[in-house]
Amino acid sequence: MAALRAALAASLAVARARPPPLGRRPPSARCSALAGAMEPAPRWLAGLRFDNRALRALPVETPPPGPEGAPSAPRPVPGACFSRARPEPLRRPRVVALSEPALALLGLDAPPAADAAAREAREAEAALFFSGNALLPGAEPAAHCYCGHQFGQFAGQLGDGAAMYLGEVCTEAGERWELQLKGAGPTPFSRQADGRKVLRSSIREFLCSEAMFHLGIPTTRAGSCVSSQSTVVRDAFYDGNPRPEPCAVVLRLAPTFLRFGSFEIFKPRDEHTGRAGPSVGRDDIRLQMLDYVISTFYPEIQASHPGDHVQRHAAFFREVTRRTARLVAEWQCVGFCHGVLNTDNMSIVGLTIDYGPFGFLDRYDPGHVCNASDTAGRYSYGKQPEVCRWNLQKLAEALDPALPLELAEAILAQEFDAEFGRHYLQKMRRKLGLVQTEQEGDGALVAQLLETMHLTGADFTNSFYLLSSFPAAPESPDLDEFLAALTAQCASLEELRLAFRPQMDPRQLAMMLMLAQSNPQLLALIGTRASLARELERVEQQSRLEQLSEAELHSKNRSRWAAWLHDYRARLEKDREASGDVATWQAERTRVMRANNPKYVLRNYIAQGAIEAAENGDFSEVRRVLKLLETPYGGEAEAAEPEGAAEASEVAAETSGAAGRRRSYSSKPPLWAAELCVT
């Protein structure tokens, strides 16, 4: 405890030190120059060196003075990209978990596992600074101003209502990382909210940020999750049942958190919503932002087009389009559904950003909607490529006239679909172990696989993982055993009946059908054609399922998979023939498939288990899941699996609570997981 008290006292002394005035750093200072001046730090965080380039390069609003200790009132912020802000302290902050790989990016190494005192002091310092209760020297908290199209409609000014830029840390490796606290209190962009995030949503964002990185998908990172004894009242399901929940803060890291919506602050009055951006007409700031973004994050484009602004902006938009296409292709290949793909949630450097009501596919369904608030299904899994393309169109409009709209639209038409299709098929070939040749029919083989998954209700992650062990040799005696394992990943009759149970009262459905015929305008006020179509599909599916036995379902599933596996084996045979050595080909095929088909993803029920334990004061499950997700393709972290989980009884597997969550993290989700609702 003495070491803990000493560390806290030292950290508080650091926090009280005023950061040096911004003007004392020469604008031309670079990470490499700062790295050379670094000295070994006596305390864990004291060695972080800030160089806040964004605040030097872009206009910053200083909020008008308010009452002592009170946050600035929510307001429009014209003519600025940032507004100064200040985190609000939390009561008794406590570290839920630290991501060692993310913190290592900042040069923050973990102490030896055996050094309990050092780890305790480190967590105390992290709780102090990563909660926003104290500021590191050089940190300059600010909130970013941006706009956005939300669910297809322009929403006007949004901004960082629950996140704060702390500054940019330059590392000895010459890298620059923007640090951000999410949930640190109100900003000028908080509107009617309190700027806080609760523990459940913070754990989800923390875990998924790191899970996506270890899956190999471009993403923002999360260094820490800090909880507290401060509470806010939230109605989690918007059902009139609010309850107090603990406040939490996530430390986020990225090269930048600028997004498509950052460029929408210049948008004139929208013809549909009547809203406009706060900086209409400020073409000078748009050019300033473009110069900053391109020179800082796309220096190769800056170097290639030093004198021609239009060509430089065109090259920038082309690269953003390609990165976005590749990113959403990666999402589709791992079964990730973002949930809220508004333009303000799209990164300008091609990262997955802002983890809210996300989800990974369990039963494969291209129409899966992970966000319960998305009643129209705009952001369903299968529509994500289309939505990303739509968002790029809005970015193109936001860049005009710095980049003429006609030129941007031509780039979008030329690049997005081609880049998405190329990257998606390339990734799918690796997931199927097609390592030697590319065949014209590969796209059709993938489409038939997904159709088979859809018809059989197969588990997306587990089915792909199982294919890694498919007996490729002709007439293999193991085929029946493999088919049995594969069909075990298909949805049972009980699962399907639960998934397709009607959501509307029959009288409500009848009324909506009548309105669809007689008064479609009124129907638009109380529902949508898309939701009506989904409800009709559920009714039809339920009717078919009522007439089906479990044995009949199993027989159909087996036949469908046997037919696809026949085509798959034939395709593998062509790939094998192109290899000079069968053993080498088989080893390479297995290696590539194991490296592209994860065993573990952050399923909702796994996150929920960690959240429930944490809300009861036990953070061990969060840390266990975090460790497991560091090796999603299998590896040393599999020791984090609960002992005996794979052999858990069927009774325990289908119950909620702790018993149900003792199952293996790679199992199909239990039935109760279908009841989880994320908004």
Side-chain angles (χ1 to χ4, degrees), residues 490-497 545 548-557:
C490 298
S492 67
L493 202 55
E494 187 177 8
E495 289 175 82
L496 292 174
R497 285 171 177 163
L545 291 170
L548 195 65
S549 70
E550 193 73 58
E552 290 171 328
L553 177 66
H554 182 270
S555 177
K556 285 186 176 183
N557 290 344

Side-chain angles (χ1 to χ4, degrees), residues 658-670:
R661 278 182 284 278
R662 281 201 298 268
R663 67 193 290 120
S664 167
Y665 293 122
S666 60
S667 298
K668 280 176 59 184

